[in-house]
Amino acid sequence: MTYALPATAVPTPTDPLACFGPIVAPRTATGTEDRPYELFTLDPHSPTIGAEISGIRLGGDLSDEVMAELRRALLEWKVLFFRDQDISRAEHRAFAARWGALEQHPFFKYTQPGQSDIEVATLAKDATAVGAENIWHNDVTWHEFPSFAAVLRAVEIPAVGGDTLWADMGAAYDLLPDDIKTHIDTLDAEHDWIKSFGSGMPQDAIDMLRPKFPPVTHPVVRVVPETGRRVLFVNAAFTQRVLGVSESESNELLRLLYRHAMRPEFQVRLRWKPNTIAFWDNRTCQHYASSDYFPARRVMERISIVGDKPIGITA
């Protein structure tokens, strides 16, 4: 006997996220015009998130027209991959600077040994400094102005392993049950760095930095200004609690949202090769660095672009 799967399974009373069969979200916000790309080639890696761009060199003098088309691709695909980009650190920096002011991460000199540049984070991992970024997160949500985007360049990669994954938080929001959307649409959450970066820092550094970077509040559902797209904006690395509800409800709600956001249908995975660059919109997707290559060496350089203050649905 065979059974036909419904287009959308009805959640069960015991699990509001229970679902099987097609899990398909729109790639872009309602009303977005689907236009071809004319100045480079774009190859999608999944239905909603992740695309490889070819036909341009990021270290070159990109025209304003190419930059505008790249911005549209970033908004539509959330993370862009570029292969065979043999560029220098200076060229890496110049490309990132085309998108806005460069971020200066205040904690990396304590938690990532060997930093030599306040705007270029060197993420060097090997047998003596293990990779610990294998938790789903948006970067810097502990800041009042979290990163807009990041440009990550492969400097040295292991023979196998060390992939990076990204998850589409617009798709995650769109496919939540309607009653959960209604509940979270106007909620805020507290974000902080003490339990993450603070755990690897000396106490005197924490005492010095704490007044500069207190806990901050962001909407649970963020609205992307350019598109109007609603995205989940809580993450397991930095979100501490949902405000306006009990501690038990906050814990239950965050566990539910994190589990939902990790569905494979929302994800894309990149296998790094030499001279590969990933460029992602930190507002609309979370990422996860697979830490399966120990004790091999993996060195990446990341430049982040300063973002704006997140706005919610009621703003």
Side-chain angles (χ1 to χ4, degrees):
M1 182 178 294
T2 59
Y3 297 89
L5 296 178
T8 302
V10 177
T12 67
T14 56
D15 185 354
L17 297 182
C19 187
F20 58 94
I23 303 177
V24 183
R27 178 170 54 83
T28 56
T30 302
T32 302
E33 182 184 359
D34 191 8
R35 293 181 286 139
Y37 297 94
E38 300 178 350
L39 302 177
F40 48 72
T41 300
L42 184 143
D43 179 26
H45 280 210
S46 86
T48 72
I49 180 172
E52 185 171 322
I53 303 289
S54 58
I56 59 174
R57 182 177 182 275
L58 299 189
D61 185 16
L62 300 177
S63 68
D64 291 343
E65 291 76 16
V66 170
M67 291 294 293
E69 197 159 271
L70 282 175
R71 180 175 289 273
R72 178 164 66 89
L74 184 68
L75 291 172
E76 294 180 357
W77 292 97
K78 300 92 182 178
V79 54
L80 305 178
F81 308 133
F82 304 84
R83 301 288 193 185
D84 303 318
Q85 299 288 323
D86 185 11
I87 66 174
S88 66
R89 175 182 282 205
E91 290 172 320
H92 182 185
R93 186 196 303 272
F95 173 74
R98 295 285 299 272
W99 299 88
L102 302 186
E103 190 173 82
Q104 298 180 8
H105 201 293
F107 307 138
F108 273 177
K109 66 180 179 180
Y110 302 103
T111 62
Q112 303 280 345
Q115 299 302 310
S116 60
D117 191 319
I118 60 174
E119 294 174 340
V120 183
T122 300
L123 309 172
K125 303 301 169 68
D126 53 27
T128 62
V130 300
E133 295 81 16
N134 51 333
I135 181 172
W136 285 103
H137 64 288
N138 308 78
D139 287 331
V140 199
T141 65
W142 44 262
H143 199 287
E144 185 180 5
F145 305 101
S147 309
F148 154 58
V151 187
L152 184 65
R153 181 168 66 99
V155 177
E156 185 177 347
I157 57 174
V160 65
D163 296 355
T164 303
L165 298 84
W166 288 263
D168 183 345
M169 293 298 100
Y173 175 82
D174 285 346
L175 293 183
L176 278 169
D178 287 342
D179 59 335
I180 296 178
K181 287 183 187 177
T182 300
H183 183 47
I184 68 174
D185 275 351
T186 57
L187 293 176
D188 294 318
E190 180 182 282
H191 297 243
D192 199 6
W193 54 274
I194 287 291
K195 294 181 180 179
S196 53
F197 287 108
S199 64
M201 295 169 57
Q203 188 60 48
D204 60 341
I206 294 175
D207 294 341
M208 177 186 68
L209 290 165
R210 186 43 149 174
K212 300 179 182 179
F213 302 104
V216 297
T217 298
H218 298 311
V220 171
V221 180
R222 180 177 187 172
V223 179
V224 179
E226 300 98 313
T227 64
R229 188 75 185 268
R230 298 179 178 185
V231 300
L232 284 181
F233 201 64
V234 291
N235 69 90
F238 303 123
T239 305
Q240 304 302 306
R241 60 192 176 101
V242 178
L243 303 176
V245 301
S246 68
E247 181 180 359
S248 60
E249 183 180 349
S250 172
N251 291 338
E252 180 181 358
L253 187 55
L254 289 175
R255 282 194 296 266
L256 181 147
L257 295 176
Y258 297 158
R259 181 161 63 92
H260 175 66
M262 290 188 291
R263 290 188 189 275
E265 287 86 353
F266 303 153
Q267 297 176 17
V268 65
R269 182 172 186 139
L270 175 67
R271 182 174 184 180
W272 294 95
K273 297 179 180 179
N275 297 324
T276 296
I277 289 176
F279 176 35
W280 70 92
D281 186 336
N282 186 61
R283 305 168 302 176
T284 61
C285 60
Q286 295 189 31
H287 60 284
Y288 179 109
S290 182
S291 189
D292 57 356
Y293 53 92
F294 180 86
R297 184 166 173 80
R298 180 182 186 267
V299 181
M300 317 293 281
E301 289 191 345
R302 190 189 78 193
I303 302 178
S304 296
I305 297 101
V306 174
D308 52 10
K309 187 175 180 61
I311 58 173
I313 291 172
T314 59

